[in-house]
Amino acid sequence: MEGRKQALKSPQKLSLLSSPVRAAIRLRRTAHAFKKNFLPGDSKAKLLQRQISLGKARLGSASTSLLSQASFESSQYFTFDTSVQEPSTRSSKRRKRSKNPRVLYPGNSRKYLPAEHKSKAKRCLLLLVGIVCFQILNAIENLDDNLLKYDLDGLEKTMHREVFGQALAVESIVALLKDYLATHIHNKPLVISFNGPSGVGKSHVGWLLAKHFRSVMGHNSVLHYFAMHHCPDSASTSACQQDLSKTISEMVTQAEIEEKIPVFILDEVEFMSTALLETLGGFFQTNQTNEFLNAVYILISNLGGNEVANVLLQNASGDLLQPQKKVELLQAALRPVLDQVHPLWMLAEIVPFVLLEKSHILSCFYEEMMSEGLYPDPSHVESLASQINYYSQGGQQYAITGCKQVIAKVNLL
């Protein structure tokens, strides 16, 4: 009885509604009924749902639904349902995408990678590195220009050709000059001291240096000073001090204006008085104005000659007289002797001159005879060289007075 009452009430309620609403309710009930009749995974149910959604199905007719199913399968409709697509097409699309990968860009932008923002600090650093490299190259060129201006290579060749038995001394002198004259800015003057026995070529090297630097810089930039000539015993010591100090100051000032480095060659230093050495040592100090720091001083003396001879004779037969070892031994022997004479030698670079062997004495005779226009007969030269006194040690003969007597003996011919 209750079911009949509900069936009777429902048509009454439908009659009260408008016709569009009643049609919608019927469609909904019909769809609900079809869902119950078909399985959830059945394709016919899915087809019917599409027909209902498209408004193609008729209520209560199964034959019409089958016809509409055939027509729907034969025709193609655009839907957003991706379940209709075949799996084969998906695999083909995936293969195509894997074969031809593309980079997608937004439609309103250009198709290129975003530009990297470079740091301005990096550019400044690169510019600074370039400037430093340019300055270094410029400094190297200036060093080469200074050395070319003084022609030290030519000086080295001349000394090797005209100075006998002093290869180590020549190499040391040229190395010191090249290192100092390469620049025009220094914190101290260059002081070189030639020390060794008499007649071994110290004064001859000084004469060659004076001649060379006068040819490349002019006479106003080179002073060749002889203590016995410029300041004899009878002269006043104070006058010698003033004269030497004035000469050095004027030359240094003029050389600074001309951007040159003056060269002062002081021979016979062992005959200088203590006061004159004191005046000379004042120019070697580092607490001076810049122009006095740009100068070369060469001190020539026989101081330490006996010490040099003793070291050479003691080690004549041993292996200690290798080039570098020989120089170190001689400098160690000369340093205490020179420091006792005056403290100015503490600021000097010591270049020892060694004893000359008999072969070097023969070369001195050949050179002197040819310069005098005499024919150097070998037997005659040998007899002249045998008249010189020698030290005999370790199978070697070393001349006691060097080549000092060669000129006197050639003049007697």
Side-chain angles (χ1 to χ4, degrees):
M1 294 296 290
E2 292 177 357
R4 290 180 181 179
K5 289 179 181 181
Q6 290 178 357
L8 291 173
K9 288 180 181 181
S10 59
Q12 291 177 0
K13 290 180 180 180
L14 290 173
S15 63
L16 295 176
L17 300 174
S18 60
S19 59
V21 176
R22 289 197 299 271
I25 293 171
R26 290 190 189 98
L27 288 173
R28 185 174 181 182
R29 288 177 178 176
T30 305
H32 186 66
F34 275 107
K35 286 182 179 180
K36 291 182 179 180
N37 295 330
F38 294 99
L39 294 174
D42 194 358
S43 61
K44 294 182 179 180
K46 294 181 180 180
L47 181 60
L48 182 60
Q49 289 178 2
R50 294 192 191 96
Q51 289 177 351
I52 292 171
S53 64
L54 295 173
K56 298 292 183 176
R58 293 182 182 179
L59 299 175
S61 60
S63 61
T64 307
S65 64
L66 294 173
L67 292 172
S68 62
Q69 176 184 358
S71 63
F72 183 79
E73 290 177 353
S74 62
S75 61
Q76 296 180 354
Y77 295 91
F78 174 78
T79 62
F80 290 96
D81 190 3
T82 58
S83 61
V84 183
Q85 297 178 359
E86 297 179 0
S88 61
T89 57
R90 289 183 181 178
S91 61
S92 62
K93 287 184 178 179
R94 288 178 182 174
R95 291 174 183 173
K96 289 181 180 179
R97 288 178 183 175
S98 62
K99 291 181 179 178
N100 188 16
R102 295 181 181 179
V103 180
L104 300 179
Y105 297 90
N108 57 352
S109 63
R110 297 181 180 179
K111 295 183 179 181
Y112 55 83
L113 295 175
E116 297 181 359
H117 297 283
K118 296 183 179 180
S119 176
K120 294 183 179 179
K122 186 176 181 180
R123 295 180 181 178
C124 295
L125 181 61
L126 292 175
L127 180 61
L128 179 62
V129 171
I131 293 173
V132 171
C133 293
F134 177 76
Q135 293 292 339
I136 292 174
L137 292 175
N138 191 19
I140 293 173
E141 291 180 358
N142 291 335
L143 295 179
D144 295 337
D145 292 341
N146 288 335
L147 294 177
L148 290 175
K149 178 173 66 175
Y150 293 109
D151 189 21
L152 296 180
D153 292 335
L155 174 63
E156 183 178 10
K157 293 178 181 178
T158 301
M159 288 196 295
H160 276 298
R161 184 177 62 252
E162 298 190 18
V163 180
F164 306 111
Q166 305 296 341
L168 293 176
V170 170
E171 292 176 1
S172 300
I173 294 167
V174 173
L176 291 170
L177 291 175
K178 284 184 177 181
D179 185 56
Y180 190 83
L181 297 178
T183 61
H184 194 71
I185 300 174
H186 307 94
N187 56 4
K188 65 177 182 179
L190 175 62
V191 183
I192 306 175
S193 179
F194 297 169
N195 298 95
S198 176
V200 294
K202 301 184 301 297
S203 297
H204 186 56
V205 172
W207 179 79
L208 291 175
L209 291 172
K211 179 181 178 181
H212 175 80
F213 283 108
R214 281 172 179 166
S215 64
V216 297
M217 292 192 301
H219 291 267
N220 295 330
S221 299
V222 180
L223 173 65
H224 200 178
Y225 187 91
F226 291 91
M228 297 297 293
H229 174 73
H230 292 87
C231 188
D233 294 335
S234 59
S236 173
T237 304
S238 60
C240 293
Q241 289 179 271
Q242 293 178 1
D243 182 60
L244 180 61
S245 178
K246 181 181 178 181
T247 302
I248 293 176
S249 300
E250 291 177 352
M251 291 180 62
V252 166
T253 303
Q254 184 64 29
E256 183 69 17
I257 296 173
E258 298 176 358
E259 295 184 355
K260 298 177 181 179
I261 297 178
V263 178
F264 302 97
I265 302 171
L266 308 169
D267 205 342
E268 301 173 345
V269 179
E270 67 270 22
F271 298 109
M272 287 185 177
S273 63
T274 305
L276 195 59
L277 290 176
E278 194 71 27
T279 302
L280 187 61
F283 292 102
F284 299 167
Q285 304 300 321
T286 58
N287 55 349
Q288 303 181 85
T289 55
N290 292 332
E291 61 268 19
F292 288 94
L293 299 178
N294 297 325
V296 177
Y297 298 89
I298 298 175
L299 309 178
I300 302 174
S301 69
N302 294 330
L303 295 174
N306 294 331
E307 285 72 15
V308 171
N310 292 334
V311 171
L312 293 175
L313 294 175
Q314 289 174 5
N315 300 280
S317 59
D319 296 333
L320 296 177
L321 291 181
Q322 299 298 325
Q324 188 62 32
K325 188 65 176 179
K326 181 189 293 186
V327 173
E328 292 176 358
L329 286 175
L330 294 175
Q331 289 177 345
L334 288 169
R335 180 68 68 180
V337 177
L338 298 176
D339 291 344
Q340 288 181 356
V341 176
H342 197 276
L344 66 85
W345 268 279
M346 298 177 64
L347 304 173
E349 299 288 342
I350 299 176
V351 177
F353 281 66
V354 299
L355 293 172
L356 298 182
E357 300 177 6
K358 187 174 182 180
S359 60
H360 303 140
I361 302 301
L362 293 173
S363 299
C364 289
F365 273 108
Y366 280 112
E367 184 70 20
E368 185 64 23
M369 292 177 70
M370 286 189 293
S371 63
E372 294 292 334
L374 300 175
Y375 174 71
D377 182 62
S379 60
H380 192 193
V381 171
E382 183 68 28
S383 64
L384 291 173
S386 61
Q387 299 175 12
I388 306 295
N389 296 325
Y390 296 94
Y391 296 111
S392 296
Q393 188 72 25
Q396 297 287 340
Q397 288 183 323
Y398 300 96
I400 298 175
T401 57
C403 290
K404 187 175 286 292
Q405 299 178 7
V406 171
I407 297 177
K409 292 189 175 294
V410 171
N411 291 334
L412 294 176
L413 296 176

Coordinates of all heavy atoms in Angstrom, one line a residue, residues 151-194:
D151 N 127.1 49.8 -24.1 CA 127.9 48.8 -24.9 C 128.8 47.9 -24.0 O 130.0 47.9 -24.2 CB 128.7 49.6 -25.9 CG 129.3 48.6 -27.0 OD1 128.8 47.5 -27.1 OD2 130.3 49.0 -27.6
L152 N 128.2 47.3 -23.0 CA 129.0 46.4 -22.1 C 129.5 45.2 -22.8 O 130.5 44.6 -22.4 CB 128.1 46.1 -20.9 CG 127.7 47.3 -20.0 CD1 126.9 46.9 -18.8 CD2 129.0 48.1 -19.6
D153 N 128.8 44.7 -23.8 CA 129.2 43.5 -24.5 C 130.6 43.8 -25.2 O 131.5 43.0 -25.3 CB 128.2 43.1 -25.5 CG 127.0 42.5 -24.9 OD1 127.1 42.0 -23.7 OD2 125.9 42.5 -25.5
G154 N 130.6 45.0 -25.8 CA 131.9 45.4 -26.5 C 133.0 45.6 -25.5 O 134.2 45.2 -25.7
L155 N 132.7 46.1 -24.3 CA 133.7 46.2 -23.2 C 134.2 44.9 -22.8 O 135.4 44.7 -22.6 CB 133.0 47.0 -22.0 CG 133.9 47.1 -20.8 CD1 135.2 47.9 -21.1 CD2 133.1 47.7 -19.6
E156 N 133.3 43.9 -22.7 CA 133.7 42.6 -22.2 C 134.7 41.9 -23.2 O 135.7 41.3 -22.9 CB 132.5 41.7 -22.0 CG 132.8 40.3 -21.5 CD 131.6 39.5 -21.3 OE1 130.5 39.9 -21.7 OE2 131.7 38.4 -20.7
K157 N 134.4 42.1 -24.5 CA 135.2 41.5 -25.6 C 136.6 42.2 -25.5 O 137.6 41.5 -25.7 CB 134.6 41.7 -26.9 CG 133.3 40.9 -27.1 CD 132.7 41.1 -28.5 CE 131.4 40.3 -28.7 NZ 130.8 40.6 -30.0
T158 N 136.6 43.5 -25.3 CA 137.9 44.2 -25.3 C 138.8 43.7 -24.1 O 140.0 43.5 -24.3 CB 137.7 45.7 -25.2 OG1 136.9 46.1 -26.3 CG2 139.0 46.5 -25.2
M159 N 138.2 43.6 -23.0 CA 139.0 43.2 -21.8 C 139.4 41.7 -21.9 O 140.6 41.4 -21.5 CB 138.1 43.4 -20.5 CG 137.9 44.8 -20.1 SD 137.3 45.0 -18.4 CE 135.7 44.3 -18.5
H160 N 138.6 40.9 -22.5 CA 139.1 39.5 -22.7 C 140.2 39.4 -23.7 O 141.1 38.5 -23.6 CB 137.9 38.6 -23.1 CG 137.1 38.1 -22.0 ND1 137.5 37.2 -21.0 CD2 135.7 38.3 -21.8 CE1 136.5 36.9 -20.2 NE2 135.4 37.6 -20.6
R161 N 140.2 40.3 -24.6 CA 141.3 40.3 -25.6 C 142.6 40.9 -25.1 O 143.7 40.5 -25.5 CB 140.8 41.1 -26.9 CG 141.8 41.0 -28.0 CD 141.2 41.7 -29.3 NE 140.9 43.1 -29.0 CZ 139.7 43.7 -28.9 NH1 138.6 42.9 -29.0 NH2 139.6 45.0 -28.7
E162 N 142.5 41.9 -24.3 CA 143.7 42.7 -23.9 C 144.2 42.4 -22.5 O 145.3 42.9 -22.1 CB 143.4 44.2 -24.1 CG 143.1 44.6 -25.5 CD 143.1 46.1 -25.6 OE1 143.6 46.8 -24.8 OE2 142.5 46.6 -26.7
V163 N 143.4 41.7 -21.7 CA 143.8 41.4 -20.3 C 144.1 39.9 -20.2 O 143.3 39.1 -20.6 CB 142.7 41.8 -19.3 CG1 143.2 41.5 -17.9 CG2 142.4 43.3 -19.4
F164 N 145.3 39.6 -19.8 CA 145.8 38.2 -19.8 C 145.7 37.6 -18.4 O 146.1 38.2 -17.4 CB 147.2 38.0 -20.3 CG 147.4 38.7 -21.6 CD1 148.2 39.8 -21.8 CD2 146.8 38.1 -22.7 CE1 148.4 40.4 -23.0 CE2 147.1 38.7 -24.0 CZ 147.8 39.8 -24.1
G165 N 145.1 36.4 -18.3 CA 145.1 35.6 -17.0 C 144.1 36.1 -16.0 O 144.2 35.6 -14.8
Q166 N 143.1 36.9 -16.4 CA 142.2 37.4 -15.4 C 140.7 37.2 -15.9 O 139.9 38.1 -15.8 CB 142.4 38.9 -15.1 CG 143.8 39.3 -14.7 CD 144.1 38.6 -13.3 OE1 143.3 38.2 -12.5 NE2 145.4 38.5 -13.0
A167 N 140.5 36.0 -16.4 CA 139.1 35.8 -16.9 C 138.0 35.9 -15.9 O 137.0 36.5 -16.1 CB 139.1 34.4 -17.6
L168 N 138.3 35.4 -14.7 CA 137.3 35.4 -13.6 C 137.1 36.9 -13.2 O 135.9 37.3 -12.9 CB 137.8 34.6 -12.4 CG 137.9 33.1 -12.6 CD1 138.4 32.4 -11.3 CD2 136.5 32.6 -12.9
A169 N 138.1 37.7 -13.1 CA 137.9 39.1 -12.7 C 137.1 39.9 -13.8 O 136.2 40.7 -13.4 CB 139.3 39.7 -12.5
V170 N 137.4 39.6 -15.0 CA 136.7 40.3 -16.1 C 135.2 39.9 -16.1 O 134.3 40.8 -16.2 CB 137.3 39.9 -17.5 CG1 136.4 40.4 -18.6 CG2 138.7 40.5 -17.6
E171 N 134.9 38.6 -15.9 CA 133.5 38.2 -15.8 C 132.8 38.8 -14.6 O 131.6 39.2 -14.7 CB 133.4 36.7 -15.7 CG 133.9 36.0 -17.0 CD 133.9 34.5 -16.9 OE1 133.6 34.0 -15.8 OE2 134.3 33.8 -17.9
S172 N 133.5 38.9 -13.5 CA 132.8 39.5 -12.3 C 132.6 41.0 -12.5 O 131.5 41.5 -12.1 CB 133.7 39.3 -11.1 OG 134.0 38.0 -10.8
I173 N 133.5 41.7 -13.1 CA 133.3 43.1 -13.4 C 132.2 43.4 -14.3 O 131.3 44.3 -14.1 CB 134.6 43.7 -13.9 CG1 135.7 43.7 -12.9 CG2 134.4 45.2 -14.4 CD1 137.1 43.9 -13.4
V174 N 132.1 42.7 -15.4 CA 131.0 42.9 -16.4 C 129.7 42.5 -15.8 O 128.7 43.2 -16.0 CB 131.3 42.0 -17.7 CG1 130.1 42.1 -18.6 CG2 132.6 42.5 -18.3
A175 N 129.6 41.5 -15.0 CA 128.3 41.1 -14.4 C 127.9 42.2 -13.4 O 126.7 42.5 -13.4 CB 128.5 39.8 -13.6
L176 N 128.7 42.8 -12.6 CA 128.4 43.8 -11.7 C 127.9 45.1 -12.5 O 126.9 45.7 -12.1 CB 129.5 44.2 -10.8 CG 129.9 43.1 -9.7 CD1 131.2 43.5 -9.1 CD2 128.8 43.0 -8.7
L177 N 128.6 45.4 -13.5 CA 128.2 46.6 -14.3 C 126.9 46.4 -15.0 O 126.1 47.3 -15.1 CB 129.3 46.9 -15.3 CG 130.6 47.4 -14.7 CD1 131.7 47.6 -15.8 CD2 130.4 48.8 -14.0
K178 N 126.7 45.2 -15.6 CA 125.4 45.0 -16.3 C 124.2 45.0 -15.3 O 123.2 45.6 -15.6 CB 125.4 43.6 -16.9 CG 126.2 43.6 -18.2 CD 126.1 42.2 -18.9 CE 126.9 42.2 -20.2 NZ 126.8 40.8 -20.9
D179 N 124.4 44.5 -14.1 CA 123.3 44.5 -13.1 C 123.0 45.9 -12.7 O 121.8 46.3 -12.4 CB 123.7 43.6 -12.0 CG 122.6 43.5 -11.0 OD1 121.5 43.1 -11.4 OD2 122.8 43.8 -9.8
Y180 N 124.0 46.8 -12.5 CA 123.8 48.1 -12.0 C 123.4 49.1 -13.1 O 122.5 49.9 -12.8 CB 125.1 48.6 -11.3 CG 124.9 49.9 -10.5 CD1 124.4 49.8 -9.2 CD2 125.2 51.1 -11.1 CE1 124.2 51.0 -8.5 CE2 125.0 52.3 -10.3 CZ 124.6 52.2 -9.0 OH 124.4 53.3 -8.3
L181 N 124.0 49.0 -14.2 CA 123.7 50.0 -15.3 C 122.4 49.7 -16.0 O 122.0 50.5 -16.9 CB 124.8 50.1 -16.3 CG 126.2 50.6 -15.7 CD1 127.3 50.5 -16.7 CD2 126.0 52.0 -15.1
A182 N 121.7 48.6 -15.7 CA 120.5 48.3 -16.4 C 119.4 49.2 -16.1 O 118.5 49.5 -16.9 CB 120.1 46.8 -16.1
T183 N 119.4 49.9 -14.9 CA 118.4 50.8 -14.5 C 119.0 52.1 -14.1 O 120.2 52.2 -13.9 CB 117.5 50.3 -13.4 OG1 118.3 50.1 -12.2 CG2 116.8 49.0 -13.8
H184 N 118.2 53.2 -13.9 CA 118.7 54.5 -13.5 C 118.2 54.8 -12.1 O 118.4 55.9 -11.6 CB 118.2 55.6 -14.5 CG 119.0 56.9 -14.3 ND1 120.3 57.0 -14.7 CD2 118.6 58.1 -13.8 CE1 120.7 58.3 -14.4 NE2 119.6 58.9 -13.9
I185 N 117.6 53.9 -11.4 CA 117.1 54.1 -10.1 C 117.7 53.1 -9.1 O 117.6 51.9 -9.3 CB 115.5 54.0 -10.0 CG1 114.9 55.0 -11.0 CG2 115.0 54.2 -8.6 CD1 113.4 54.8 -11.1
H186 N 118.5 53.6 -8.1 CA 119.2 52.7 -7.2 C 119.1 53.2 -5.8 O 118.8 54.4 -5.6 CB 120.7 52.7 -7.6 CG 120.9 52.3 -9.0 ND1 121.1 53.2 -10.0 CD2 121.0 51.1 -9.6 CE1 121.3 52.6 -11.2 NE2 121.3 51.3 -11.0
N187 N 119.3 52.4 -4.8 CA 119.3 52.8 -3.4 C 120.7 52.9 -2.8 O 120.8 53.2 -1.7 CB 118.5 51.7 -2.6 CG 119.0 50.3 -2.8 OD1 120.0 50.1 -3.4 ND2 118.4 49.4 -2.2
K188 N 121.7 52.7 -3.6 CA 123.1 52.9 -3.2 C 124.0 52.9 -4.4 O 123.7 52.3 -5.5 CB 123.5 51.7 -2.2 CG 123.6 50.4 -2.9 CD 124.1 49.3 -1.9 CE 124.2 48.0 -2.6 NZ 124.7 46.9 -1.7
P189 N 125.2 53.5 -4.3 CA 126.1 53.5 -5.4 C 126.8 52.2 -5.5 O 126.8 51.4 -4.6 CB 127.1 54.6 -5.1 CG 127.0 54.8 -3.6 CD 125.6 54.4 -3.2
L190 N 127.4 51.9 -6.7 CA 128.1 50.7 -6.9 C 129.6 50.9 -6.7 O 130.2 51.8 -7.3 CB 127.9 50.2 -8.4 CG 128.8 49.0 -8.8 CD1 128.4 47.7 -7.9 CD2 128.6 48.7 -10.3
V191 N 130.2 50.2 -5.7 CA 131.6 50.3 -5.4 C 132.2 49.0 -5.6 O 131.9 48.0 -5.1 CB 131.7 50.7 -3.9 CG1 133.2 51.0 -3.5 CG2 130.9 52.0 -3.6
I192 N 133.3 49.0 -6.5 CA 134.0 47.8 -6.9 C 135.5 48.1 -6.5 O 136.1 49.1 -6.8 CB 133.9 47.5 -8.4 CG1 132.4 47.4 -8.8 CG2 134.6 46.2 -8.7 CD1 132.2 47.2 -10.3
S193 N 136.1 47.1 -5.8 CA 137.5 47.2 -5.4 C 138.3 46.1 -6.1 O 138.0 44.9 -6.0 CB 137.5 47.0 -3.9 OG 138.9 47.1 -3.4
F194 N 139.3 46.6 -6.9 CA 140.3 45.7 -7.5 C 141.5 45.5 -6.6 O 142.1 46.5 -6.2 CB 140.8 46.3 -8.8 CG 139.7 46.5 -9.9 CD1 140.0 47.2 -11.0 CD2 138.4 45.9 -9.7 CE1 139.0 47.4 -12.0 CE2 137.5 46.1 -10.7 CZ 137.8 46.9 -11.8

